[in-house]
Every structure is written in C-alpha cells, then in structure tokens.
C-alpha cells in the first residue's frame, strides 16, 4: 500500500497507520516518509482494529484520542514542571492537545516553516521579557525535537507550546499591572478550559487559524521581529565592565573615569564607529572631547536625555545598563506597548510617561504629536485606559485633594498671602461655592487631612489649567490640560506635575478634537477662548486615551530607543511608587 497516494482525511490517515502496523512496518521513519505522517499510537490502532473491524468500530475508535504521546520520550521534557506544575506527559494542555489532533485526523499542524517561525517569534518575545520562568527551557526542547528526523514529537510539543502562549498572554493582559511590578507570571487555574481563551477552545486548528492567532496584523508582527533581532543581538554580546560613577559630572574636556569601558559600550550601541573606537582605545587618557563628546551626545539624544555632552548620573546609569537587561527591557516593552487601543476604529491618544510625549494615531498613522509634562516620582501619573468625552474651554481649576493637603495648606501656614499670590479662592464646598475669607481660619491649628473647605482658581490669565482641559472617566482625577508655564516644555526631563498631564500643543489638540466631532455649526476653538466664558462641551465622538509606560523600543529607522525609568517600573528603586498607580484599569466607554 502506498500511503502517499491517499488523500489526507481522518479515515485514510488511520487506515494508512493501521496497514503499516499490521504489515510489521511500524517504524518512525516509515511513517515520516509518507506525505502525511499520522501522530497516532500504532498499538492503539492494532488493538482497536483487531477487536472491531466494522465501519462503526472505526467511528468509535475516533471518539477517543489515539495520539501517541510516547513520541515525546525521545528527550528529557522538564519545562512543564516550571511552567504548569507536575505533569505526567510533560505537556501543560494534554487534553486540549488530544482534542485538537483528534479533530484534525491526527495530521501534523506545523509543517509550514512560516508557522514554526511565527510560533518561535511569539514565544521568544515572551520568554525574553523575564515575565515567565521556564519558557526558554521550552524553546530549547522544541529546538532539540526539531532536529530529529521524526518530526511528530516536535509537532505535539509545538501545539502545547502554542496553547501555553495563548494562556499566558490571556492572563498577562487580564492582569497588566504585572508588567510594572517586577513579578513573574504562572498559570493560575487548575483546569485547561479556564486557562485558555474562548476563541481557542473548541476551534478548528489549521494553518489559517494558527496564522491569524500568531501573526495577526502584519505590521505589528514585523515590529516584533525587528525588536527581537535587537534583543538577540544584546543577549549574545559579552558583558561590559562599565559602572556608573555616582553623582559626579564629567564636563567637556575633563578626564572620563573608566573611559575604555565606556567607549566599548558606545561602540556596541553604534554611537561610536569602529574606526573612532580603535583610535580612542590607543589613547593613554580619554577626555570628554572631540569624537567621544559627539558620541555621548548621540547616545543622550537617542535615550531621551539632555544632549549636552555632559556625563552626569542619568547618562552613566543608561550607559551602565547590562546588555542582558537591555534585551529584557526590549522584550518586556513589546508587551507594554500592546496595551490599549489600536487607533483603527477611532483616533487613539497615547501618553507615554517616560518619553514625555503624546501621540494620536488613526488608521495606522500618527496624526498629532506633542510634548507633555507628567507626574513627578513622588506624585505619579496613573496608568489607565479611558476615552475622552468632555472638553472644557476657559476652565476653572478645582484644586485636587493631594495639592490641597501637600501644597496649599502648608503654603498658608507659611505665608498668609499664599492664596492671593496663587490667585486662589477658598470656598465652602464643591456644591456650595460660597467664598470663605482665609482670615477666618487659624491656620496654625489646621489639620490638612480634616480641613473642610476647598480651593478654586477662576478662569483667566494665570489659571493653572490654561485655556482648556480634556476630561475622561477615571478614579484618579487625571486629565489632560493646557498650562501657562510654557518654559517647562524646554526641559528634557519633564516629570514635574502633581499627576495630571500638561500638553504643550493644547490649542492644536483642542482644534483636532473639535474637528473630529464633525459639527460645522459649532464655534471654533479660538472663538470659544475669546469670549472668556467657561464652555463645557460634551463630545459625541469619543477619542480613546491610554496612559502608558514604555521605556524601550526600536524606532522606524531600526534605532534602539531607551528612556529613563523614572517610576522604577523596570527595576526597583529606593522609594518605590505605590502599587495603586500601576493598576492599569480600563475605563473605556
């Protein structure tokens, strides 16, 4: 019998395996050499076929899985113990793997190279992120099995690994705060069905289904591949010896401590050419001048630092990052960057806190950009998703509780004219805005935590919110707004606010938001500002907003971009930000 002549339906696959079994030809190679290798246990087929030779018996035989899991014994399969606990088969999803192959007529799923590569890309990106222990060992096991002449064991383990990837990413995006808390992820549920997405359970697993799940949007998959090339590059580099030198400033023309180690790092990043590196390496002393100073400036610009050529603490901390840490950050931030809206259905505003930048994306294009000022480390900006639904022109500023307790009341205790200097009015409550004279209060006895009155700033020149604010549902009183303090946008490091996000191009953002509403009868933004009245505009067409924290990525020119970890979400810091700021809640409407 020539099995390769038969069509690849479930009955013929089993019949082919059965014939080989009864003919005494059941060797791995004889099955592999057929055009469609069956992943069945020959002993199960023989036992079933010998006892019942009718067509009804054949159908009964298909009701239970005949998947030959003994194929996996060709290597020591131990990754499952770390990934999903003790498992007899070495698989994490034994029953679902059996179901998939039974439904597929025991046909291999991973014959196409592009599917194998897509699986490898997705699993590597997750493994290198440091979020899950045991995935790199699973990758090693897959590589071992892929080298064997009998590809059936690889096929089975690849299917289990795919299901593992689906379960882990499902759990990760259900608990996105884990990406910011130095924690590792493990499968929580005891049952396979609870671990897997509903779109995977019971689905027909074929090439097109697997491609749609693993590749998805081609442009995003290409971005992951480009980033992984950089990740692999940094993982393979030998460790460098450069260490940060405290708070010392190395100004222009000054001697650079540990200069040789520094130029090796700058050369590995491409900020210093090979020719320049070897010339500097021959110098007896390295100073912060000439090509080295230019390389420092390139490094600073690419890392979002002040490109002044002065080697300070922020610059040395970035240079001192171990290469394997750079690789981890790139992989971790691949997953952070996928949080939030895509901008396909409607415009999406993305505020990246460590980049101090706001972007609007719509239909895969960046249509607006602006510098922003975000919360300082002591008063961080929360991570969350929402949708802009209200715009207020000529707003009054209701002083938030944090600023009231930490700034206004201490300010009044120190200086009786604080409210007058800040153009603030004390009122009875947010509902009863009756003005209260500050002279009626004995400020030295005030407890900031129990003080009953509120503070407000009227619209107009000097108002802390400028001419416009943009509101979105959230529990943190966080919103986007204009500011009269324009000079602060000239700073490179702009974590300066008490939590809300100040937008440099607030007027242009307001015009974009109004244009998107497609209401020709509405007054334009400048007209609204000019009449000096407070206008609260409900937006019929909402705009998605995501406040994110991405510190490493590969840009459109394949350049590595790194940003300072201002909140300690990449690595623990001395005074860690409270967990409540990284809950990543979704308030989207």
């Amino acid at each position: 019998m020539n099995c390769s002549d038969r069509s690849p339906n479930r009955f013929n696959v089993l019949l082919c395996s059965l014939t080989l079994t009864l003919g005494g030809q059941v060797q791995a190679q004889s099955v592999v050499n057929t055009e469609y290798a069956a992943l069945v246990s020959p002993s199960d087929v023989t036992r079933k076929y010998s006892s019942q030779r009718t067509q009804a018996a054949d159908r009964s035989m298909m009701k239970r899985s005949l998947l030959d899991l003994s194929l996996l014994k060709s290597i020591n399969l131990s990754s499952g113990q770390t990934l999903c606990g003790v498992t007899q088969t070495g698989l994490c999803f034994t029953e679902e793997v059996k179901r998939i192959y039974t439904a597929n007529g025991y046909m291999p799923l991973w014959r196409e190279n592009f599917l194998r590569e897509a699986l490898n890309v997705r699993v590597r990106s997750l493994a290198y992120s440091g979020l899950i222990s045991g995935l790199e060992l699973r990758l090693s096991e897959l590589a071992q099995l892929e080298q064997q002449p009998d590809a059936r064991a690889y096929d089975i383990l690849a299917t289990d690994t795919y299901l593992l990837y689906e379960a882990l990413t499902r759990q990760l995006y259900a608990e996105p705060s884990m990406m910011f808390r130095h924690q590792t992820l493990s499968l929580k549920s005891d049952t396979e069905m609870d671990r897997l997405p509903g779109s995977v359970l019971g689905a027909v697993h074929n090439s097109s289904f697997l491609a749609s799940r693993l590749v998805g949007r081609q442009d995003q998959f290409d971005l992951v591949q480009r980033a992984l090339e950089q990740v692999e590059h940094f993982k393979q580099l030998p460790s460098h010896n450069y260490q940060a030198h405290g708070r010392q400033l190395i100004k222009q023309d000054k001697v650079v401590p540990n200069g040789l180690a520094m130029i090796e790092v700058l050369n590995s990043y491409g900020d210093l050419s090979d020719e320049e590196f070897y010339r500097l390496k021959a110098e007896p002393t390295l100073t912060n001048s000439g090509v080295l100073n230019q390389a420092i400036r390139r490094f600073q610009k690419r890392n979002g630092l002040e490109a002044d050529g002065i080697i300070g603490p922020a610059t040395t901390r970035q240079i001192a990052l171990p290469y394997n840490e750079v690789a981890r950050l790139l992989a971790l931030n691949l997953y952070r960057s996928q949080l939030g809206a895509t901008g396909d259905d409607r415009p999406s505003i993305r505020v990246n806190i460590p980049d101090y930048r706001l972007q609007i994306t719509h239909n895969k294009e960046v249509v607006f950009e602006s510098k922003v000022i975000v919360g300082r480390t002591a008063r961080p900006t929360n991570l969350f998703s929402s949708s802009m639904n209200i715009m207020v022109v000529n707003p009054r500023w209701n002083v938030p509780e944090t600023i009231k307790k930490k700034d206004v009341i201490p300010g009044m205790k120190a200086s009786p004219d604080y409210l007058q200097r800040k153009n603030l009015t004390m009122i009875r409550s947010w509902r009863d805005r009756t003005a209260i004279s500050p002279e009626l209060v004995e400020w030295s006895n005030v407890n900031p935590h129990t003080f009953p009155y509120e503070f407000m700033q009227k619209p107009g020149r000097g108002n802390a919110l400028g001419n416009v604010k943009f509101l979105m549902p959230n529990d943190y009183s966080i919103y986007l707004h204009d500011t009269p303090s324009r000079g602060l946008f000239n700073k490179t490091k702009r974590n300066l606010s008490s939590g809300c996000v100040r937008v440099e191009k607030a007027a242009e953002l307001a015009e974009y938001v109004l244009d998107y509403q497609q209401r020709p009868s509405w007054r334009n933004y400048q007209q609204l500002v000019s009449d000096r009245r407070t206008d609260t505009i409900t937006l019929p067409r909402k705009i998605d907003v995501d406040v994110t924290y991405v510190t490493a990525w590969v840009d459109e020119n394949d350049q590595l971009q790194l940003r300072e970890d201002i909140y300690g979400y990449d690595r623990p810091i001395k005074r860690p930000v409270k967990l409540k700021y990284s809950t990543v809640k979704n308030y989207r409407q």
Side-chain angles (χ1 to χ4, degrees), residues 139-185:
L139 284 168
S140 174
E141 292 167 349
L142 280 170
Q144 291 180 59
L145 292 177
E146 196 170 16
Q147 298 303 313
Q148 295 185 354
D150 185 346
R152 293 177 296 168
Y154 168 86
D155 208 275
I156 294 171
L157 190 62
T159 300
D160 186 68
T161 304
Y162 157 71
L163 294 173
L164 183 64
Y165 170 79
E166 289 277 16
L168 288 169
T169 51
R170 174 180 183 257
Q171 190 171 320
L172 184 61
Y173 287 123
E175 305 174 53
S177 60
M178 296 193 69
M179 301 186 210
F180 308 95
R181 297 182 176 178
H182 324 297
Q183 298 173 337
T184 54
L185 185 67

Side-chain angles (χ1 to χ4, degrees), residues 96-109:
E96 184 63 12
V97 168
K98 288 179 178 179
R99 186 202 67 77
I100 288 171
Y101 281 110
T102 302
N104 195 46
Y106 301 98
M107 300 300 297
L109 293 172

Side-chain angles (χ1 to χ4, degrees), residues 334-506:
L334 277 174
Y335 287 90
R336 288 178 177 175
S337 65
Q338 291 172 28
L339 292 172
T342 62
D344 290 345
D345 299 327
R346 61 186 184 185
S348 169
I349 294 175
R350 185 172 291 261
V351 176
N352 186 9
I353 291 173
D355 194 30
Y356 312 112
R357 187 164 299 277
L358 176 153
Q359 284 188 336
I360 300 181
T361 304
H362 195 201
N363 295 326
K364 301 181 183 179
E365 290 187 7
V366 176
V367 296
F368 180 87
E369 280 190 290
S370 176
K371 294 179 181 178
V372 295
I373 293 169
V374 299
R376 66 197 81 156
T377 304
R379 302 183 193 178
T381 300
N382 297 74
L383 307 182
F384 67 96
S385 295
S386 190
S387 49
M388 184 188 297
N389 60 348
I390 294 174
M391 186 174 91
V392 183
V393 181
N394 297 319
R396 58 175 169 243
W397 180 40
N398 298 328
V399 175
E401 196 70 15
T402 300
I403 297 177
K404 168 185 164 180
K405 293 176 181 177
K406 296 185 176 181
D407 295 335
V408 178
I409 292 176
M412 284 302 294
K413 286 174 176 284
S415 175
D417 66 344
Y418 179 88
L419 294 184
Q420 184 180 357
R421 286 189 287 107
K422 297 293 184 178
N423 192 28
L424 292 173
T425 301
M426 187 165 66
I427 59 176
R428 189 172 301 279
S429 68
W430 297 128
R431 290 190 175 186
D432 181 0
R433 293 180 177 265
T434 303
I436 305 293
S437 172
E439 296 178 356
L440 299 176
V441 178
E442 183 56 56
W443 292 100
S444 60
N445 297 330
V446 167
N447 182 340
H449 298 282
T450 59
F451 189 69
Y453 302 136
E454 306 294 347
F455 299 94
M456 179 191 75
Q457 194 177 56
K458 294 180 180 179
R461 182 174 296 180
N463 181 282
L465 305 184
N467 292 325
V468 63
K469 69 176 179 179
F470 308 89
L471 304 181
M472 63 221 68
N474 65 87
D475 293 334
Y476 321 114
S477 300
I478 298 293
Y479 48 86
L480 314 179
H481 65 88
D482 189 15
T483 177
S485 305
R486 313 301 299 173
L488 295 177
F489 290 107
N490 294 327
K491 293 179 173 289
T492 302
K493 189 173 182 178
R494 297 189 295 277
N495 54 330
L496 305 166
S497 82
S498 292
C500 286
V501 179
R502 307 176 198 173
V503 182
E504 182 182 37
K505 298 180 181 177

Side-chain angles (χ1 to χ4, degrees), residues 504-524:
E504 182 182 37
K505 298 180 181 177
E508 292 93 327
L509 177 58
E511 290 168 354
Y512 178 89
V513 171
L514 289 174
D515 286 345
Y516 178 66
Q517 303 310 307
Q518 297 180 355
R519 295 294 194 274
S521 61
W522 287 10
R523 290 181 294 167
N524 64 40

Side-chain angles (χ1 to χ4, degrees), residues 218-286:
Q218 189 64 50
D219 58 331
Q220 292 183 348
F221 185 74
D222 291 343
L223 186 149
V224 173
Q225 284 186 300
R226 285 167 41 222
L228 269 183
E229 289 177 6
Q230 295 264 17
V231 171
E232 295 280 10
H233 168 72
F234 284 105
K235 282 180 69 68
Q236 293 167 9
L237 284 177
S239 301
H240 65 72
N241 297 316
Y242 183 77
Q243 294 182 344
H245 50 66
R247 302 194 63 81
Q248 183 181 3
L249 293 178
I250 311 299
K251 297 184 178 180
Q252 194 157 346
D253 298 325
K254 298 297 181 181
V255 174
V256 178
N258 203 10
L260 182 58
M262 176 183 283
I263 63 173
E264 287 177 349
V265 176
L266 293 173
N267 176 244
S268 71
Y269 281 122
D271 298 306
L272 190 68
S273 70
D274 289 345
E275 180 182 351
E276 292 167 338
F277 168 71
Y278 287 114
R279 183 157 56 82
L280 288 173
K281 190 176 180 180
E283 297 286 336
T285 303
L286 292 175

